Amino acid sequence: MSVILLFVFALSSCKKDEDAEKQITKYIQQNNINAVKDPSGLYYQIIKPGSGTTTINSNTSITIKYEGKLLDGTVIDNGGGKENTFRLGDLIEGWKIGIPKIQKGGEIRLIIPPTLGYGSRNAGPIPANSVLDFNIQLTNAQ
């Protein structure tokens, strides 16, 4: 019985991943976003690369301004409209993958599938299995 449940769970997970991929590709196409797909499944668009040679990793303290939305345009978080500082390693996987692609002064758009975001759980205003669209400006990294 547990094997059957595991199989059903695996199939439902695959279906959700496929659905997210379809949602993302449709969203990118409809909004004419020039995004690149990372091998992780993250889609990103470097708006400004920024400058410098800082190696950004999990231990890096980043200062950013950001806005996150659901694909329907609902804003889920904007950091209060001001700069916020975080340790990159404390953030969702999509940010850990995307933010190191830019430097100080850079700006990136991240379209994050649920597997690299909050997955199958609700997180505040974010429904389970949501694709997220973040615009992030990196003002400092150290």
Side-chain angles (χ1 to χ4, degrees):
M1 183 66 166
S2 62
V3 172
I4 293 171
L5 288 175
L6 186 61
F7 182 71
V8 169
F9 178 74
L11 281 180
S12 66
S13 295
C14 291
K15 176 96 172 88
K16 287 176 189 160
D17 290 346
E18 288 172 18
D19 289 348
E21 181 69 19
K22 285 179 186 173
Q23 287 177 42
I24 292 170
T25 53
K26 182 179 176 185
Y27 180 74
I28 286 170
Q29 192 173 39
Q30 287 178 336
N31 293 282
N32 203 23
I33 302 167
N34 186 21
V36 175
K37 184 178 182 182
D38 182 83
S40 66
L42 173 74
Y43 284 82
Y44 66 95
Q45 176 185 22
I46 296 175
I47 298 163
K48 286 193 308 193
S51 61
T53 57
T54 304
T55 300
I56 299 174
N57 60 41
S58 300
N59 293 317
T60 304
S61 175
I62 59 166
T63 302
I64 58 173
K65 280 187 81 170
Y66 66 95
E67 181 177 76
K69 300 181 287 190
L70 300 175
L71 296 189
D72 68 4
T74 303
V75 175
I76 52 165
D77 191 6
N78 69 358
K82 60 185 193 309
E83 289 185 349
N84 289 272
T85 301
F86 304 100
R87 189 178 79 84
L88 186 59
D90 295 336
L91 304 174
I92 61 174
E93 198 63 29
W95 283 30
K96 292 179 198 176
I97 296 164
I99 291 174
K101 296 181 181 301
I102 58 174
Q103 289 286 310
K104 292 179 195 177
E107 185 174 350
I108 193 166
R109 183 175 196 172
L110 303 177
I111 302 171
I112 304 172
T115 54
L116 301 175
Y118 294 97
S120 61
R121 68 185 194 282
N122 292 323
I126 305 166
N129 300 308
S130 292
V131 174
L132 308 173
D133 180 4
F134 278 95
N135 189 337
I136 301 169
Q137 299 167 9
L138 180 64
T139 55
N140 198 11
Q142 51 189 25

